Amino acid sequence: MPKAKTPNTPAEKAQATARRLSPADMAEVVYYLEPRVPALLPDAPGMPSNLLPFAATSLPLDVEIEMWSISEPSEDDPEYLRFYWNNECILESVFTEPVQPHERLIRVPVQHMTHGTHELHYEVQIFNGSVTPSLALTITIDNQPPRLPEANEIIFPDEVMLGGVTDRYLHENDDQLLGEVPAYQDRQVGDTLYWYWSDTPNGREQVDARELLDLDNPLVLAIPGDFIRQFSNGVCYARYEVQDRAGTAIQYSLAQSLQTTATPAERILLPPRILEADGATHTSTLLPRNTLDYVTFTLPSSVIVGDDEEVTVYWGEPGTPGAYQTSTPAEPDVQAYHIPWQYVAHGMGKTIPLDYTLKDYKGENHISQTHRLRITTLTGLPIIQCLEIRGNLLVLDTLGDSATFTLQSWRFMAASQYVTVWLEGVKLGDIRERVTLPIVTEMPVPDERPVIDVGSVSKTALQGLERGYQFVVKVQVSFDDKQSWIPFPLISATLVDQLP
């Protein structure tokens, strides 16, 4: 008689365990994650969590199901996947053969994409009859755009409405024109305002954009004097647009007309440009991957600099962190200047002002119009590593005193930066309570090297987390002296006492 095959692989051992356990005991072995909706927007403080973009509500919604840890369907012992939308089972799949990846993709019909919050979960019934539900995922659908009042023009000071925008007014008011957006219905944190100044009522010359971070303060918009002066004296128009974070239909205000006599300076200095950036005269976008060891700050060809005149270029607001200035051109008699890479890295994820001054032969300084450069964040960032995590599992029985984490180097890495790493899981005995385990906090980045050690989590601390549940390790790095933090890719794994 042939000898019974001994289980060798983790899957065979898990299936053998399942045969020995009753359905009531399966919860100790089989565990499931919450459904995953790839289309969801990233969460942000103060904003609705798990927000679905409005564009995604017109198509069936893709929901991904993680493969359950024990599976052995057959004709005699089928397995079932049931998907619930607001506690109503809307889809059920039956498996009599090994489950394929495409069979774990749920497509929720469009008729379910209604305004409000919705709870998603699923349950799996495996071959031995055990039924285990997943964690629930609550998503938010917003398909109702903000509602502007009937009188929705920007509100400007009476002095401007009666006397126009004059050079004197700008001089006495920090070289900017302030206007207030009237209160509108359905205003939410995460709404984005875009405002425009043009010589036509429907002009597309965008001044700036701003995301609402609170609802307590008046919505005051600033139009810099240099932006106003790019148009000839006469009638100009200010207006704004509002779009919520979900991306519903943009709401357009009426244009407010203003008489302008913002006489330009006698010597007009147009805004500078960054050679490696893409954009228009006053605004552009720089992708860090398009840079080398510097970016090239260039002056417009219309600027004529005499032999006895001096140009000083300014990267950022002088006196603020990350600012840089120089009067030394990249080459003699060339109106181009190199901005070192460390100042570029400091500005990632921000919009920074660029301008220059020209000191003429009389010793008088002429200030250029400002160019606003938006610098995107880095791509291709390294994923944090942990040698003790294998096959998406961290096994406590085989773990030493701690789990150690490392991070490979990244572009623009420098000793002036800081890194923070922490682990998030659920509490042992109470999975409703989140647990955060610091790994390293605001650690100065050492000199550039291929791999850096970023700390560890003790085995004792890990033993305070629930087994069979996923934890994540998150990383963020500050390139600007801890003013802001850029998230790096995270890793996730499941904590178990021993291999199944």
Side-chain angles (χ1 to χ4, degrees):
M1 187 175 198
K3 185 178 181 181
K5 181 181 177 181
T6 301
N8 292 317
T9 68
E12 291 173 344
K13 293 178 180 177
Q15 290 160 1
T17 300
R19 295 190 189 94
R20 295 195 304 269
L21 296 178
S22 67
D25 295 327
M26 288 303 296
E28 299 297 325
V29 178
V30 185
Y31 48 88
Y32 304 105
L33 304 175
E34 65 183 6
R36 180 176 178 270
V37 180
L40 294 178
L41 295 171
D43 286 352
M47 302 181 191
S49 61
N50 295 330
L51 180 63
L52 186 68
F54 177 67
T57 63
S58 60
L59 299 169
L61 181 65
D62 286 351
V63 181
E64 297 176 352
I65 304 300
E66 187 79 13
M67 184 59 202
W68 42 101
S69 58
I70 299 175
S71 177
E72 194 177 292
S74 66
E75 290 286 348
D76 295 331
D77 297 307
E79 296 187 352
Y80 300 86
L81 169 63
R82 302 181 185 95
F83 182 78
Y84 294 83
W85 182 275
N86 294 330
N87 292 320
E88 176 189 355
C89 182
I90 63 171
L91 292 168
E92 181 182 62
S93 299
V94 182
F95 307 103
T96 57
E97 296 181 353
V99 182
Q100 301 302 311
H102 70 273
E103 295 177 307
R104 293 185 281 106
L105 178 64
I106 304 295
R107 284 197 165 91
V108 180
V110 173
Q111 61 262 33
H112 294 284
M113 304 295 108
T114 57
H115 183 81
T117 58
H118 303 272
E119 184 178 278
L120 290 63
H121 79 277
Y122 65 92
E123 65 181 21
V124 174
Q125 179 177 330
I126 65 172
F127 61 89
N128 70 349
S130 173
V131 178
T132 305
S134 74
L135 299 174
L137 172 67
T138 300
I139 69 171
T140 303
I141 296 178
D142 181 3
N143 55 22
Q144 297 178 358
R147 290 178 287 174
L148 302 184
E150 185 175 349
N152 53 48
E153 299 94 332
I154 299 177
I155 302 170
F156 290 105
D158 292 340
E159 179 182 353
V160 172
M161 296 299 298
L162 296 174
V165 185
T166 65
D167 183 62
R168 176 180 290 275
Y169 177 84
L170 293 172
H171 176 73
E172 294 175 352
N173 289 274
D174 298 324
D175 199 40
Q176 62 181 350
L177 172 63
L178 300 180
E180 183 176 342
V181 172
Y184 60 88
Q185 295 185 18
D186 299 324
R187 184 172 68 169
Q188 294 183 357
V189 173
D191 288 355
T192 299
L193 270 71
Y194 307 87
W195 59 101
Y196 303 83
W197 178 271
S198 180
D199 53 7
T200 61
N202 296 315
R204 299 297 301 171
E205 289 84 358
Q206 182 179 324
V207 178
D208 209 340
R210 172 176 147 202
E211 187 178 76
L212 300 191
L213 301 178
D214 65 71
L215 304 179
D216 298 328
N217 299 316
L219 301 180
V220 178
L221 309 179
I223 305 173
D226 67 287
F227 205 99
I228 295 172
R229 293 188 189 97
Q230 70 178 300
F231 298 95
S232 301
N233 290 342
V235 177
C236 282
Y237 301 85
R239 64 180 188 86
Y240 64 93
E241 300 171 359
V242 180
Q243 187 175 40
D244 58 28
R245 189 164 186 261
T248 59
I250 296 176
Q251 302 301 295
Y252 302 88
S253 80
L254 299 172
Q256 180 68 273
S257 62
L258 293 171
Q259 185 69 37
T260 63
T261 54
T263 306
E266 207 173 292
R267 190 165 189 173
I268 299 176
L269 302 180
L270 296 177
R273 294 291 298 272
I274 296 299
L275 188 62
E276 294 82 359
D278 292 323
T281 303
H282 290 81
T283 57
S284 64
T285 300
L286 176 67
L287 305 180
R289 68 169 181 263
N290 293 338
T291 66
L292 298 173
D293 292 333
Y294 55 83
V295 295
T296 308
F297 186 115
T298 62
L299 273 55
S301 59
S302 60
V303 176
I304 307 300
V305 182
D307 293 338
D308 53 352
E309 297 179 329
E310 182 183 66
V311 169
T312 301
V313 303
Y314 298 91
W315 173 276
E317 189 71 30
T320 61
Y324 176 76
Q325 67 184 69
T326 183
S327 299
T328 304
E331 299 177 22
D333 302 322
V334 174
Q335 295 184 36
Y337 303 79
H338 288 166
I339 308 299
W341 68 266
Q342 59 264 39
Y343 299 99
V344 178
H346 199 281
M348 287 192 301
K350 303 175 185 176
T351 297
I352 62 174
L354 308 179
D355 49 33
Y356 57 95
T357 59
L358 190 154
K359 187 175 183 180
D360 65 18
Y361 64 95
K362 296 184 294 184
E364 296 179 354
N365 273 324
H366 301 267
I367 302 174
S368 76
Q369 298 175 18
T370 301
H371 183 96
R372 288 173 171 80
L373 176 70
R374 185 172 74 90
I375 307 175
T376 64
T377 54
L378 284 171
T379 56
L381 296 169
I383 300 174
I384 191 164
Q385 302 291 322
C386 177
L387 292 178
E388 290 83 5
I389 296 176
R390 296 181 179 88
N392 292 326
L393 294 176
L394 180 57
V395 182
L396 287 174
D397 283 359
T398 59
L399 181 66
D401 294 335
S402 62
T404 302
F405 297 87
T406 61
L407 195 62
Q408 292 183 336
S409 62
W410 55 89
R411 184 127 189 240
F412 297 146
M413 179 177 175
S416 60
Q417 299 161 12
Y418 297 86
V419 61
T420 293
V421 184
W422 70 99
L423 183 149
E424 293 180 358
V426 294
K427 185 178 180 180
L428 178 66
D430 186 1
I431 62 173
R432 296 170 299 177
E433 184 174 344
R434 297 280 181 176
V435 175
T436 298
L437 302 178
I439 298 174
V440 70
T441 302
E442 298 183 356
M443 179 187 82
V445 173
D447 292 336
E448 184 175 0
R449 59 189 65 176
V451 178
I452 61 172
D453 294 325
V454 293
S456 61
V457 177
S458 69
K459 182 174 183 178
T460 301
L462 290 169
Q463 287 171 334
L465 303 180
E466 184 63 57
R467 315 299 191 268
Y469 282 82
Q470 189 181 58
F471 64 86
V472 295
V473 180
K474 298 182 178 181
V475 180
Q476 60 184 16
V477 174
S478 176
F479 292 81
D480 57 5
D481 198 27
K482 297 184 278 191
Q483 292 185 57
S484 62
W485 296 85
I486 294 177
F488 277 39
L490 56 79
I491 60 169
S492 60
T494 301
L495 184 69
V496 296
D497 282 320
Q498 58 187 13
L499 288 173

